[in-house]
Amino acid sequence: MSVLPSGDTGSEVLVPHWLASPERVQLAAAVRSALGDPAVHPVAHIHLQNVLTELHVAAARDAVWPASAARVRLATGWDADVLPVRLSAAELTAVLALCPLPDGLRARLSGGGA
Amino acid sequence: MTAFGRRGSAGLLQRLRPTPIDVADLLEVAEVVLPVLAGPQLRVELVRRSGAGSALLVEEDERSVRVGLGELADDMTGAGVAPTPEAMTAALRAWVASRPVTDAAATTDGIAVLDWADPARSAVGWRVVVRREELTPAWTPLPGTAPGRVEEIRSAASARAAEVQLALRVEGPVALWSHPSMPVLATTALAAPARLLARVADAGLPVDDLHVVVTPQRPVACAGRSVAARLAGETSEASVTLPWERLAGLPWL
């Protein structure tokens, strides 16, 4: 969670969004729905594919290194199924612009890393 | 985990303001517990030295460890072991279980696992460990051990590592290998690289440019290069990411 210098390519910085399991399922469904649209730009298509990948990678990260997320959950009181889903600025933009998100999830993601 | 086992700590208060373990109390417990811990090849005894206090001696084949009982009591106090007979008994058992591994034990039971090669945690290498209750102490060849013997023990340990049954979990493009009861054995997945590749393919993952993310004592993750980079790149935990081709050349530590 670093502060981006203005004008820099922030695309490599991945910001964590802490989402519970139902929210991750909603996000996956919304992304898949957007991917089904043939009008989606190829670059945006790649970003959306990466978001689907990240949903799996987030679970894998927690399986290999559970301690850091566990510490955050302990401090915040979040449920055990809450995981940090790490998205680049470009990936987040693609999600917000192209995917049919439920209002609550859209608000969570638009609020930035949390 | 201290040398006195996972239960060596009796709780926060005991750790912050430890009640010292009295040598005389430890001696009483040791006199009862040590005879039970000895075995056919394993000598576990109290050695009385006039004017110098008692010492705990553990001898097994070519290996030997001796510690003064006063020093052991201090170490236990520092590790937060409570001054109760139960806690001291458990701590003594764990201390004996963490004794050096003999060549014979390494030969018959050694398993090869990956461990950090340096304190900076920048590289990994193979080590022979044996399972002893909850612990997995590492085997170190004594200076002067014949190279052929060391090679023989290591080969047998690698073969045994290749036979360890691991649990596979597929998480999208990531294959995760773990051991259900002993996390340190997860890295045995890498002892047979060709078989690893076949199993990843069977799980439905693409195997071109397969990479492995290794953290000793944690599950092993296999994925393509960019997915592996995404997995390992954002964590503050130490890990090593290796292309599959590098697995066959990992050194022995």
mmCIF file of all heavy atoms in Angstrom, chain B residues 5 11 19 28 43 53 66 79 95 101 120 132 149-150 154 172 177 197 212 228-229 233 238 244 248 251:
data_model
loop_
_atom_site.group_PDB
_atom_site.id
_atom_site.type_symbol
_atom_site.label_atom_id
_atom_site.label_comp_id
_atom_site.label_asym_id
_atom_site.label_seq_id
_atom_site.Cartn_x
_atom_site.Cartn_y
_atom_site.Cartn_z
ATOM 1 N N GLY B 5 10.119 -27.223 22.975
ATOM 2 C CA GLY B 5 8.871 -27.604 22.352
ATOM 3 C C GLY B 5 7.912 -26.431 22.268
ATOM 4 O O GLY B 5 8.124 -25.355 22.823
ATOM 5 N N GLY B 11 2.644 -18.948 28.861
ATOM 6 C CA GLY B 11 1.724 -17.830 28.795
ATOM 7 C C GLY B 11 2.485 -16.531 28.955
ATOM 8 O O GLY B 11 3.652 -16.494 29.325
ATOM 9 N N THR B 19 9.037 -16.969 36.623
ATOM 10 C CA THR B 19 9.432 -17.517 37.906
ATOM 11 C C THR B 19 10.607 -18.444 37.632
ATOM 12 O O THR B 19 10.475 -19.369 36.829
ATOM 13 C CB THR B 19 8.280 -18.332 38.521
ATOM 14 O OG1 THR B 19 7.075 -17.594 38.400
ATOM 15 C CG2 THR B 19 8.563 -18.646 39.964
ATOM 16 N N GLU B 28 15.023 -33.108 40.748
ATOM 17 C CA GLU B 28 14.023 -34.087 41.196
ATOM 18 C C GLU B 28 13.221 -34.625 40.018
ATOM 19 O O GLU B 28 12.990 -35.830 39.912
ATOM 20 C CB GLU B 28 13.027 -33.401 42.143
ATOM 21 C CG GLU B 28 13.345 -33.554 43.600
ATOM 22 C CD GLU B 28 12.251 -32.919 44.461
ATOM 23 O OE1 GLU B 28 11.058 -33.103 44.128
ATOM 24 O OE2 GLU B 28 12.612 -32.234 45.436
ATOM 25 N N ARG B 43 21.471 -43.178 25.571
ATOM 26 C CA ARG B 43 21.834 -43.069 26.987
ATOM 27 C C ARG B 43 21.473 -41.663 27.454
ATOM 28 O O ARG B 43 21.936 -40.675 26.896
ATOM 29 C CB ARG B 43 23.338 -43.305 27.113
ATOM 30 C CG ARG B 43 23.848 -43.312 28.506
ATOM 31 C CD ARG B 43 25.353 -43.588 28.499
ATOM 32 N NE ARG B 43 25.933 -43.189 29.765
ATOM 33 C CZ ARG B 43 27.210 -42.860 29.935
ATOM 34 N NH1 ARG B 43 28.032 -42.866 28.914
ATOM 35 N NH2 ARG B 43 27.668 -42.509 31.121
ATOM 36 N N GLY B 53 28.120 -29.277 40.383
ATOM 37 C CA GLY B 53 26.714 -29.425 40.002
ATOM 38 C C GLY B 53 26.513 -30.575 39.047
ATOM 39 O O GLY B 53 27.449 -31.086 38.444
ATOM 40 N N ARG B 66 26.048 -32.670 26.284
ATOM 41 C CA ARG B 66 26.060 -32.552 27.742
ATOM 42 C C ARG B 66 25.716 -31.117 28.100
ATOM 43 O O ARG B 66 26.171 -30.172 27.454
ATOM 44 C CB ARG B 66 27.460 -32.905 28.249
ATOM 45 C CG ARG B 66 27.695 -32.666 29.715
ATOM 46 C CD ARG B 66 29.186 -32.733 30.003
ATOM 47 N NE ARG B 66 29.665 -34.106 29.925
ATOM 48 C CZ ARG B 66 30.038 -34.832 30.983
ATOM 49 N NH1 ARG B 66 29.974 -34.317 32.191
ATOM 50 N NH2 ARG B 66 30.481 -36.062 30.834
ATOM 51 N N ALA B 79 12.923 -19.533 28.402
ATOM 52 C CA ALA B 79 11.957 -19.941 27.386
ATOM 53 C C ALA B 79 10.533 -19.888 27.905
ATOM 54 O O ALA B 79 9.584 -20.176 27.170
ATOM 55 C CB ALA B 79 12.286 -21.357 26.900
ATOM 56 N N TRP B 95 13.624 -31.450 25.089
ATOM 57 C CA TRP B 95 15.060 -31.210 24.968
ATOM 58 C C TRP B 95 15.772 -32.470 24.491
ATOM 59 O O TRP B 95 16.638 -32.424 23.626
ATOM 60 C CB TRP B 95 15.628 -30.726 26.306
ATOM 61 C CG TRP B 95 16.994 -30.129 26.163
ATOM 62 C CD1 TRP B 95 17.294 -28.859 25.880
ATOM 63 C CD2 TRP B 95 18.237 -30.820 26.294
ATOM 64 N NE1 TRP B 95 18.657 -28.693 25.802
ATOM 65 C CE2 TRP B 95 19.258 -29.876 26.056
ATOM 66 C CE3 TRP B 95 18.593 -32.147 26.580
ATOM 67 C CZ2 TRP B 95 20.615 -30.211 26.111
ATOM 68 C CZ3 TRP B 95 19.936 -32.470 26.635
ATOM 69 C CH2 TRP B 95 20.932 -31.511 26.408
ATOM 70 N N VAL B 101 21.023 -35.706 15.522
ATOM 71 C CA VAL B 101 20.581 -36.885 14.788
ATOM 72 C C VAL B 101 21.794 -37.758 14.475
ATOM 73 O O VAL B 101 22.804 -37.268 13.966
ATOM 74 C CB VAL B 101 19.892 -36.473 13.463
ATOM 75 C CG1 VAL B 101 19.465 -37.692 12.670
ATOM 76 C CG2 VAL B 101 18.701 -35.577 13.761
ATOM 77 N N ALA B 120 20.194 -14.493 5.386
ATOM 78 C CA ALA B 120 19.449 -13.473 4.647
ATOM 79 C C ALA B 120 18.235 -14.062 3.927
ATOM 80 O O ALA B 120 17.437 -13.321 3.353
ATOM 81 C CB ALA B 120 20.371 -12.804 3.628
ATOM 82 N N ARG B 132 10.853 -36.783 14.700
ATOM 83 C CA ARG B 132 10.970 -37.250 16.077
ATOM 84 C C ARG B 132 9.864 -36.582 16.844
ATOM 85 O O ARG B 132 9.967 -35.402 17.199
ATOM 86 C CB ARG B 132 12.330 -36.840 16.642
ATOM 87 C CG ARG B 132 13.040 -37.940 17.376
ATOM 88 C CD ARG B 132 14.209 -37.385 18.110
ATOM 89 N NE ARG B 132 15.478 -37.824 17.565
ATOM 90 C CZ ARG B 132 16.563 -37.062 17.544
ATOM 91 N NH1 ARG B 132 16.537 -35.846 18.009
ATOM 92 N NH2 ARG B 132 17.681 -37.535 17.066
ATOM 93 N N ARG B 149 29.704 -41.994 2.521
ATOM 94 C CA ARG B 149 28.646 -42.217 3.510
ATOM 95 C C ARG B 149 27.634 -41.071 3.489
ATOM 96 O O ARG B 149 26.429 -41.288 3.531
ATOM 97 C CB ARG B 149 29.325 -42.280 4.895
ATOM 98 C CG ARG B 149 28.415 -42.576 6.018
ATOM 99 C CD ARG B 149 28.473 -44.042 6.399
ATOM 100 N NE ARG B 149 27.699 -44.258 7.608
ATOM 101 C CZ ARG B 149 26.389 -44.523 7.600
ATOM 102 N NH1 ARG B 149 25.748 -44.623 6.466
ATOM 103 N NH2 ARG B 149 25.738 -44.678 8.738
ATOM 104 N N VAL B 150 28.160 -39.844 3.420
ATOM 105 C CA VAL B 150 27.286 -38.664 3.376
ATOM 106 C C VAL B 150 26.397 -38.744 2.133
ATOM 107 O O VAL B 150 25.182 -38.512 2.190
ATOM 108 C CB VAL B 150 28.128 -37.371 3.354
ATOM 109 C CG1 VAL B 150 27.238 -36.167 3.143
ATOM 110 C CG2 VAL B 150 28.920 -37.229 4.647
ATOM 111 N N ARG B 154 22.314 -38.941 1.926
ATOM 112 C CA ARG B 154 21.543 -37.924 1.203
ATOM 113 C C ARG B 154 20.691 -38.524 0.104
ATOM 114 O O ARG B 154 19.540 -38.111 -0.096
ATOM 115 C CB ARG B 154 22.494 -36.872 0.628
ATOM 116 C CG ARG B 154 23.071 -35.972 1.697
ATOM 117 C CD ARG B 154 24.129 -35.052 1.158
ATOM 118 N NE ARG B 154 24.496 -34.056 2.158
ATOM 119 C CZ ARG B 154 25.521 -33.233 2.026
ATOM 120 N NH1 ARG B 154 26.279 -33.267 0.939
ATOM 121 N NH2 ARG B 154 25.779 -32.349 2.973
ATOM 122 N N GLY B 172 -7.229 -22.193 -9.032
ATOM 123 C CA GLY B 172 -7.119 -21.559 -10.338
ATOM 124 C C GLY B 172 -5.825 -21.974 -11.015
ATOM 125 O O GLY B 172 -5.558 -23.153 -11.204
ATOM 126 N N TRP B 177 1.025 -27.535 -2.808
ATOM 127 C CA TRP B 177 1.357 -28.808 -2.176
ATOM 128 C C TRP B 177 1.596 -28.578 -0.694
ATOM 129 O O TRP B 177 2.387 -27.708 -0.329
ATOM 130 C CB TRP B 177 2.619 -29.397 -2.799
ATOM 131 C CG TRP B 177 2.504 -29.640 -4.258
ATOM 132 C CD1 TRP B 177 2.911 -28.823 -5.265
ATOM 133 C CD2 TRP B 177 1.933 -30.790 -4.899
ATOM 134 N NE1 TRP B 177 2.649 -29.382 -6.488
ATOM 135 C CE2 TRP B 177 2.040 -30.589 -6.284
ATOM 136 C CE3 TRP B 177 1.347 -31.969 -4.428
ATOM 137 C CZ2 TRP B 177 1.583 -31.531 -7.210
ATOM 138 C CZ3 TRP B 177 0.896 -32.895 -5.351
ATOM 139 C CH2 TRP B 177 1.015 -32.669 -6.720
ATOM 140 N N LEU B 197 6.202 -32.137 -12.256
ATOM 141 C CA LEU B 197 5.699 -31.610 -13.522
ATOM 142 C C LEU B 197 4.514 -32.431 -14.008
ATOM 143 O O LEU B 197 3.479 -31.891 -14.435
ATOM 144 C CB LEU B 197 6.825 -31.654 -14.554
ATOM 145 C CG LEU B 197 6.692 -30.728 -15.755
ATOM 146 C CD1 LEU B 197 6.788 -29.286 -15.316
ATOM 147 C CD2 LEU B 197 7.782 -31.033 -16.768
ATOM 148 N N VAL B 212 8.204 -22.352 -9.345
ATOM 149 C CA VAL B 212 7.871 -22.864 -8.022
ATOM 150 C C VAL B 212 8.193 -21.778 -6.992
ATOM 151 O O VAL B 212 9.274 -21.193 -7.043
ATOM 152 C CB VAL B 212 8.699 -24.133 -7.726
ATOM 153 C CG1 VAL B 212 8.483 -24.578 -6.308
ATOM 154 C CG2 VAL B 212 8.333 -25.238 -8.686
ATOM 155 N N ALA B 228 3.288 -16.786 -10.698
ATOM 156 C CA ALA B 228 4.191 -16.969 -9.557
ATOM 157 C C ALA B 228 4.723 -15.618 -9.089
ATOM 158 O O ALA B 228 4.825 -15.368 -7.881
ATOM 159 C CB ALA B 228 5.351 -17.897 -9.935
ATOM 160 N N ALA B 229 5.035 -14.747 -10.027
ATOM 161 C CA ALA B 229 5.542 -13.419 -9.657
ATOM 162 C C ALA B 229 4.463 -12.631 -8.924
ATOM 163 O O ALA B 229 4.738 -11.932 -7.948
ATOM 164 C CB ALA B 229 5.988 -12.662 -10.911
ATOM 165 N N GLY B 233 5.249 -11.653 -5.211
ATOM 166 C CA GLY B 233 5.760 -10.294 -5.274
ATOM 167 C C GLY B 233 5.224 -9.354 -4.213
ATOM 168 O O GLY B 233 5.872 -8.411 -3.820
ATOM 169 N N ALA B 238 9.548 -13.983 3.409
ATOM 170 C CA ALA B 238 10.655 -14.413 2.561
ATOM 171 C C ALA B 238 10.240 -15.638 1.752
ATOM 172 O O ALA B 238 9.571 -16.532 2.273
ATOM 173 C CB ALA B 238 11.861 -14.754 3.424
ATOM 174 N N TRP B 244 11.290 -24.236 -12.996
ATOM 175 C CA TRP B 244 11.344 -25.679 -12.799
ATOM 176 C C TRP B 244 12.720 -26.244 -13.143
ATOM 177 O O TRP B 244 13.207 -27.167 -12.481
ATOM 178 C CB TRP B 244 10.257 -26.322 -13.661
ATOM 179 C CG TRP B 244 10.215 -27.802 -13.551
ATOM 180 C CD1 TRP B 244 9.619 -28.550 -12.578
ATOM 181 C CD2 TRP B 244 10.815 -28.737 -14.458
ATOM 182 N NE1 TRP B 244 9.814 -29.887 -12.823
ATOM 183 C CE2 TRP B 244 10.542 -30.034 -13.968
ATOM 184 C CE3 TRP B 244 11.577 -28.610 -15.630
ATOM 185 C CZ2 TRP B 244 10.984 -31.184 -14.606
ATOM 186 C CZ3 TRP B 244 12.007 -29.750 -16.265
ATOM 187 C CH2 TRP B 244 11.718 -31.028 -15.752
ATOM 188 N N ALA B 248 16.569 -29.317 -10.222
ATOM 189 C CA ALA B 248 17.484 -30.453 -10.148
ATOM 190 C C ALA B 248 18.843 -30.046 -9.622
ATOM 191 O O ALA B 248 19.615 -30.885 -9.176
ATOM 192 C CB ALA B 248 17.617 -31.094 -11.521
ATOM 193 N N PRO B 251 21.493 -27.088 -4.164
ATOM 194 C CA PRO B 251 22.622 -27.683 -3.440
ATOM 195 C C PRO B 251 22.194 -28.333 -2.133
ATOM 196 O O PRO B 251 21.129 -28.043 -1.598
ATOM 197 C CB PRO B 251 23.503 -26.461 -3.140
ATOM 198 C CG PRO B 251 22.533 -25.342 -3.014
ATOM 199 C CD PRO B 251 21.425 -25.635 -3.989
#
